[in-house]
Amino acid sequence: MSADQSSFNHPSFGRMTAERVIIFDTTLRDGEQSPGFSMNLAEKLRMAEALATLGVDVIEAGFPVASKGDFESVNEIARHTKGAVICALARSGGAKDIAAAGEALAPAERKRIHNFISTSPLHMKYKLRMEPETVLDLITTGNTAARNLTDDVEWSAEDGSRTDPDFLCRCVEAAIKAGATTINVPDTVGYATPEDMEKIFSMLRERVPGADQVIFSAHNHNDLGLGVANTLASLRGGARQVECTINGIGERAGNAALEEIVMALRTRHDQYPYTTNIQTTDLLKVSRMLATITSFDVQPNKAIVGRNAFAHESGIHQDGVLKNAATYEIMTPESVGWSRSSLVMGKHSGRAAFRDKLKALGYADMDDTRLNEAFSRFKDLADRKKVVYDDDIVALVDDEARDHDHIRFAALSLTSTSGKPSEVDLTIQVDGKDVQTNATGNGPVDAAFNALRLAFPHEARLALFSVGAVTEGTDAQARTTVRLEEDGKLVDGQGADADTVVSAVRAYVHALNKLLVKRARTAPEALTA
């Protein structure tokens, strides 16, 4: 799309101005491919609803042909999520892929099939083992098949940033002629620089026939820490869709972070005069929801949504902020969802005050069942702690909000004496039925994990065990992370409790539940020429 165009007609969005940027979120597809990440159906539906409320234009819900679970999740998101375009991924050369995507998307109000194939010399030779002419034929075949199922078709040149420019132009032209309405040129391995990406999009718009009739899209990975910078440069080159994820999650070092792109456009509108549909005050809430579901905390110094993003320790900085916040803050904390609430919670706080605190912390959408469970745990915690901090409540609610469909922690008793093995009596629920076990170990955590392996036999290896304090003080809650590895699959679980051993068991149980989801995942059949 030419930068000087006053408007553009799109099959899903109608007449669009040249300043409008489409936000394409791939948290549920590319983001979920992060090592250790896994979401079940209920969690994906929660995230999809949150993304739609946030104002995301296109939600890439998954890769339907990959497994029965992937197909079901795309189908259910298409059925229940309103407002956004629901997108499914498929390979250009896979007839089964295209058909599965079309079938999974059938209930959607607005739908898109996103098909892709590798175009770089390296990928064609070693991954696909195909000649360039065969790839061109499959681009035509895939986009034609997709266009027969929906008017909104996206095509991606995998490893596009390392593709020969002349061949890339031929591929894009073939995709447009076959019916693609959005053309995505990914920096699949995070190799490109901002100058590279701006040049690629400028070249395609100038050289490819029909380029003025499609939306160009940027999908940048963050291997060199340039994902967001490359995305902004792509907009300068003429892209008007950006593909990104909440918290920047994704393969390897991740994708360009949605919250960073959106706030860069808003804060530096003088340099990037573009608009999005994102409700920025919901950014923190959605970020926290994803961190809860995936068990991956956002690093403290993460831009926009890290807990230190608006913190000032330097005396000079603190003095300046007190006099005028703009001296050291280029955006307000409230603009992305942070709250300055100082409501103190304790054992005498009631349910109404607890609900108000949750709303201030970004948990306004909790259902009554989870609210009651969280309130019960809060009252128990308040009986054991003098002061309950906001971070305590966040840790407690996040732990309660995690999905434990198959396995749930019920109770634990512990006997531990220095110089002797520890002994644990553990009760968990497996599909609603109590399972009680007893085990010993070299310390209380080892004994508890041995008991878990007896209660729910499995061969997964403990790859990581980490404990941190949620707040200061000897009565602080412990937040534990457990990583399990099984047949090359990694999952991370988190748990929080004032009792460190209970926190560890909760984390292990969460990881086991995620492992059960990941076991059902399979890789699609390889393409053949």
Side-chain angles (χ1 to χ4, degrees):
M1 180 173 62
S2 300
D4 58 355
Q5 269 187 273
S6 60
S7 63
F8 178 83
N9 196 49
H10 188 275
S12 284
F13 301 103
R15 186 62 61 178
M16 294 173 53
T17 65
E19 292 74 34
R20 174 74 156 86
V21 172
I22 296 169
I23 300 297
F24 177 112
D25 182 275
T26 185
T27 300
L28 297 176
R29 202 278 302 167
D30 198 333
E32 206 210 4
Q33 294 173 200
S34 304
F37 285 34
S38 182
M39 300 183 221
N40 63 26
L41 177 57
E43 291 167 338
K44 285 189 174 184
L45 285 169
R46 284 177 58 208
M47 275 305 304
E49 179 61 32
L51 292 170
T53 302
L54 180 64
V56 164
D57 297 297
V58 184
I59 299 173
E60 188 166 47
F63 193 1
V65 82
S67 70
K68 181 180 178 181
D70 280 70
F71 180 94
E72 182 184 8
S73 63
V74 174
N75 189 247
E76 288 299 304
I77 290 169
R79 191 181 312 280
H80 295 289
T81 305
K82 309 301 179 184
V85 173
I86 307 303
C87 176
L89 187 68
R91 293 167 297 180
S92 300
K96 291 181 180 178
D97 292 41
I98 303 291
E103 185 180 353
L105 291 170
E109 286 182 339
R110 301 156 71 201
K111 58 191 175 185
R112 173 182 297 185
I113 294 177
H114 176 194
N115 71 109
F116 73 97
I117 194 167
S118 296
T119 56
S120 69
L122 193 64
H123 276 221
M124 288 189 293
K125 181 177 180 179
Y126 293 105
K127 177 186 172 183
L128 297 180
R129 297 182 180 180
M130 292 180 184
E131 294 299 318
E133 294 304 319
T134 302
V135 170
L136 281 167
D137 289 341
L138 292 178
I139 291 170
T140 298
T141 300
N143 284 282
T144 300
R147 190 58 186 263
N148 286 333
L149 298 173
T150 176
D151 290 338
D152 191 344
V153 174
E154 177 170 343
W155 176 74
S156 285
E158 186 178 7
D159 207 22
S161 61
R162 295 193 296 176
T163 297
D164 173 76
D166 291 339
F167 185 63
L168 183 60
C169 287
R170 293 179 65 196
C171 291
V172 171
E173 183 178 359
I176 294 173
K177 286 182 177 179
T181 53
T182 298
I183 300 294
N184 180 40
V185 184
D187 183 28
T188 303
V189 295
Y191 177 76
T193 66
E195 293 77 12
D196 293 333
M197 296 312 299
E198 181 175 359
K199 183 178 179 181
I200 286 170
F201 286 106
S202 296
M203 173 201 70
L204 293 173
R205 287 172 41 237
E206 292 170 1
R207 292 180 54 185
V208 176
D212 59 340
Q213 300 301 311
V214 298
I215 294 284
F216 280 99
S217 178
H219 179 120
N220 294 296
H221 279 262
N222 204 40
D223 297 71
L224 292 176
L226 295 173
V228 172
N230 284 346
T231 299
L232 297 176
S234 299
L235 292 175
R236 286 188 185 275
R240 287 298 180 270
Q241 175 178 282
V242 295
E243 307 195 1
C244 45
T245 60
I246 300 297
N247 296 342
I249 69 171
E251 293 266 20
R252 304 179 312 279
N255 291 268
L258 181 152
E259 62 277 3
E260 295 178 24
I261 296 168
V262 168
M263 292 311 294
L265 297 182
R266 173 171 167 163
T267 304
R268 294 308 310 271
H269 199 66
D270 57 322
Q271 292 292 319
Y272 306 101
Y274 312 119
T275 61
T276 74
N277 197 39
I278 298 297
Q279 305 301 307
T280 64
T281 51
D282 286 341
L283 286 170
L284 179 63
K285 178 177 69 175
V286 179
S287 167
R288 282 177 166 171
M289 178 185 290
L290 181 66
T292 297
I293 288 172
T294 61
S295 301
F296 270 66
D297 290 332
V298 173
Q299 71 225 47
N301 63 330
K302 167 76 169 65
I304 315 300
V305 292
R307 69 172 181 266
N308 289 350
F310 297 93
H312 304 276
E313 185 168 319
S314 163
I316 294 174
H317 286 205
Q318 289 175 340
D319 179 66
V321 169
L322 289 172
K323 292 174 179 175
N324 187 323
T327 55
Y328 287 101
E329 289 183 355
I330 60 173
M331 65 196 96
T332 66
E334 293 82 0
S335 68
V336 297
W338 288 98
S339 171
R340 299 185 189 273
S341 169
S342 59
L343 181 62
V344 176
M345 302 294 292
K347 65 180 180 179
H348 299 298
S349 299
R351 190 183 305 272
F354 185 68
R355 187 188 291 273
D356 287 343
K357 170 59 75 174
L358 292 183
K359 187 179 294 185
L361 292 173
Y363 296 95
D365 57 350
M366 283 190 71
D367 60 47
D368 288 341
T369 299
R370 282 190 165 137
L371 175 68
N372 292 336
E373 291 173 348
F375 182 67
S376 177
R377 284 188 63 188
F378 160 72
K379 295 293 282 187
D380 178 61
L381 180 64
D383 283 336
R384 291 184 282 168
K385 286 198 67 175
K386 293 179 181 179
V387 179
V388 179
Y389 298 96
D390 283 359
D391 284 347
D392 284 315
I393 295 175
V394 168
L396 181 151
V397 173
D398 283 352
D399 186 69
E400 200 60 52
R402 293 188 178 100
D403 196 90
H404 302 292
D405 274 350
H406 299 288
I407 311 167
R408 295 183 66 90
F409 167 75
L412 178 149
S413 64
L414 167 69
T415 302
S416 185
T417 304
S418 60
K420 295 182 179 180
S422 297
E423 183 176 0
V424 163
D425 290 311
L426 174 70
T427 303
I428 62 172
Q429 291 182 339
V430 179
D431 294 327
K433 296 181 180 180
D434 283 353
V435 178
Q436 297 179 329
T437 56
N438 172 275
T440 60
N442 184 24
V445 172
D446 186 49
F449 286 3
N450 288 339
L452 263 173
R453 281 188 284 270
L454 289 173
F456 189 83
H458 59 278
E459 299 298 324
R461 179 180 67 88
L462 181 65
L464 172 70
F465 173 68
S466 174
V467 182
V470 173
T471 57
E472 67 270 17
T474 56
D475 61 350
Q477 287 190 96
R479 179 190 278 120
T480 305
T481 300
V482 164
R483 172 172 287 185
L484 299 179
E485 186 273 331
E486 181 184 76
D487 297 330
K489 296 182 174 69
L490 294 172
V491 291
D492 281 32
Q494 277 195 342
D497 197 272
D499 186 317
T500 302
V501 181
V502 172
S503 169
V505 171
R506 287 183 179 276
Y508 201 117
V509 166
H510 184 222
L512 281 175
N513 278 290
K514 292 176 71 175
L515 184 62
L516 294 180
V517 174
K518 210 149 197 176
R519 280 177 178 175
R521 296 278 163 80
T522 57
E525 297 176 0
L527 286 178
T528 54

